[in-house]
Amino acid sequence: MAEAKKSMGFDNVEDILTKIENKSLKIESLIKQYKFIEAIKTALEGYPPQDERCKHLQSANWIGVHKALMAIKDVEGMLRSLDPQYYDILMKYAYRGLSSGNRTTCDQCLKIHEKLTEKAGFGCILRSLVDTVNTV
Amino acid sequence: MAAVAVHQFAQCITCHAWSPDHSMVALCPNNNEVHIYRLVNDKWEKVHVLQKHDQIVSGIDWSGKSNRIVSVSHDRNSYVWNREGPEWVPTLVILRLNRAALCVQWSPKENKFAVGSGAKTVCVCYYEQENNWWVSKVIRKKHDSSVTSVAWHPNNILLATTSTDGKCRVFSTFIKGVDTRESKTGSSSDPKFGEQIVQLDLSSSWTFGVKWSPSGNTLAYVGHNSMIYFVDDIGPSPLAQNVAFRNLPLRDVQFFSEKMVIGVGFDCNPMIFAADKSGLWSFIRFLGERKESLSGPKSGSQFSEAFGKLYGQAKHGLSNDTVEPSKIQGAVHDNCINCIALLNKKGSETKRFSTSGMDGKVVIWDLGNQQDLKEYL
């Protein structure tokens, strides 16, 4: 019983990893076609698995999202066309970017943080800090 | 202007409650006393000081019909104060708590009161005539953390609680001998004391400020994640609406009609939420005026200087002298508002309420000349 459960868990992880890789490829192709806003929308769709043991899945997901975030040149324009339901998750990714310490990532994420706070307010920051259930 | 009166009572006010005729207000100035002020010739005079608690008084409620004050404190005690002549006489209520009491509210019929505590319990107290004392019955084992707020349903039996474990729960507090069983709902409702009717797990953060609508059909409570939750049809399948707003979190809410709620919190300005014809709740506007500062960045809030420094990290040449520190523009309160109380005169249409906060002010607001809100009242 325990073994069956373990193998099912393993398969599930493989599935999710494949989904994340596909998402990453899709984001890359959208970026190459200069469809930055589409890329962001794809990147922000859905949360990675929250399991403690699957931290590597969150990292894999972050790589794809990071590409989409760095490709944005016009942050304000991007936010104008973004659905408000994605504000909270974008803020969470912005904080993840800021925590990376990498100069260019932090510059971009700081820009995103500034414009997003103007648009979504402090409530957005609070929701991204307080939400321990859905993390990125 | 919606704010009709502002008075500075202390450096900081923990909570406040009004007398039945609204001529006196009882408040705790962030210490172990309850101060009662009376309005005499447009001036507030301190008429009584109730000194019995050893630590900060965290909750005060003044019953409307029986004119009794109940106070609870971090010293784990609660006192019921009765007016005897010119004096207020305290009666100790033994709550059997091993942590602070955090909030209190009289039931609609004023024969019971509920106390939320840091001991993860709720005490429901009622008066036993034979022994001439207050008995406390405790609801244990349901909360995972401190109970921050309690609210009674108009039927005097259901009690809603919010807790720092992020959940809002509704319990039955039916007590034999105190409550009468409704014959029509006798079989369908389960009136056992302490029975949890529903547990709402909508917020992943601390929850505060729960209140029932006047009819008892809707429940509203706030989360520390800048969200307010409206729940209809309390029962096996409740209908919940999560409203996210862009400002700082709220601490307390109050229903003004079935369709209007005002929330108060860290933005120091009451926020109005209303439901449209289809029942969809949304944020309407702030009640107090908010002027945007003329100079400084677009956010125009008191955080502009701090944010200027934060964003200045990326822009190397940004001088911090260009950003002026600006106070919260136009808000009446200077600090977090943590208590809101209704001030309706019987038979009067206009809705008045008061707020008190950590700045030590009590502000009285009147919704009478707010034209755009008339449709919700």
Side-chain angles (χ1 to χ4, degrees), chain B residues 84-95:
Chain B
E84 280 171 26
E87 294 299 318
W88 285 95
V89 176
T91 310
L92 174 65
V93 179
I94 299 176
L95 300 171

Side-chain angles (χ1 to χ4, degrees), chain B residues 8-241:
Chain B
Q8 182 91 38
F9 283 102
Q11 278 214 312
C12 173
I13 296 179
T14 335
C15 50
H16 75 286
W18 291 89
S19 64
D21 58 357
H22 305 319
S23 63
M24 295 193 280
V25 63
L27 51 89
C28 170
N30 207 31
N31 60 12
N32 62 337
E33 298 168 348
V34 175
H35 292 193
I36 301 181
Y37 285 82
R38 180 196 289 278
L39 190 62
V40 176
N41 297 334
D42 277 346
K43 273 217 192 96
W44 287 98
E45 276 178 21
K46 193 189 300 189
V47 289
H48 294 109
V49 175
L50 310 179
Q51 278 170 319
K52 255 314 196 163
H53 289 289
D54 301 318
Q55 284 179 39
I56 204 172
V57 178
S58 45
I60 302 175
D61 201 11
W62 202 325
S63 63
K65 290 168 243 166
S66 41
N67 198 29
R68 286 182 293 207
I69 298 179
V70 62
S71 63
V72 293
S73 157
H74 286 187
D75 66 2
R76 302 169 282 134
N77 283 333
S78 97
Y79 285 93
V80 173
W81 304 80
N82 282 289
R83 192 74 195 266
E84 280 171 26
E87 294 299 318
W88 285 95
V89 176
T91 310
L92 174 65
V93 179
I94 299 176
L95 300 171
R96 290 175 287 150
L97 289 177
N98 56 8
R99 292 287 185 279
L102 299 173
C103 52
V104 65
Q105 203 185 57
W106 282 107
S107 72
K109 291 206 182 107
E110 295 165 15
N111 52 1
K112 301 188 279 191
F113 64 88
V115 180
S117 78
K120 312 184 206 176
T121 59
V122 178
C123 308
V124 180
C125 306
Y126 61 97
Y127 190 66
E128 221 171 56
Q129 193 66 43
E130 310 89 65
N131 297 323
N132 192 24
W133 71 344
W134 290 85
V135 179
S136 137
K137 283 191 80 146
V138 185
I139 303 176
R140 286 184 218 278
K141 296 201 178 103
K142 294 290 187 203
H143 294 92
D144 295 323
S145 190
S146 300
V147 179
T148 53
S149 177
V150 289
W152 288 93
H153 187 279
N155 71 4
N156 210 60
I157 297 187
L158 293 177
L159 182 73
T161 66
T162 50
S163 164
T164 45
D165 66 3
K167 303 184 177 55
C168 173
R169 299 174 174 86
V170 177
F171 295 94
S172 160
T173 61
F174 183 88
I175 299 173
K176 235 169 76 170
V178 178
D179 296 304
T180 48
R181 193 181 297 229
E182 299 277 309
S183 52
K184 46 185 185 247
T185 57
S187 53
S188 56
S189 68
D190 263 321
K192 215 175 88 170
F193 180 86
E195 176 128 358
Q196 184 178 279
I197 309 294
V198 73
Q199 176 177 290
L200 302 160
D201 194 3
L202 302 168
S203 176
S204 54
S205 63
W206 298 350
T207 50
F208 297 98
V210 63
K211 285 281 181 352
W212 295 89
S213 67
S215 67
N217 285 334
T218 315
L219 192 64
Y221 67 99
V222 291
H224 207 57
N225 53 353
S226 292
M227 290 186 75
I228 180 167
Y229 303 95
F230 297 96
V231 189
D232 291 304
D233 295 340
I234 305 291
S237 48
L239 276 165
Q241 276 184 54

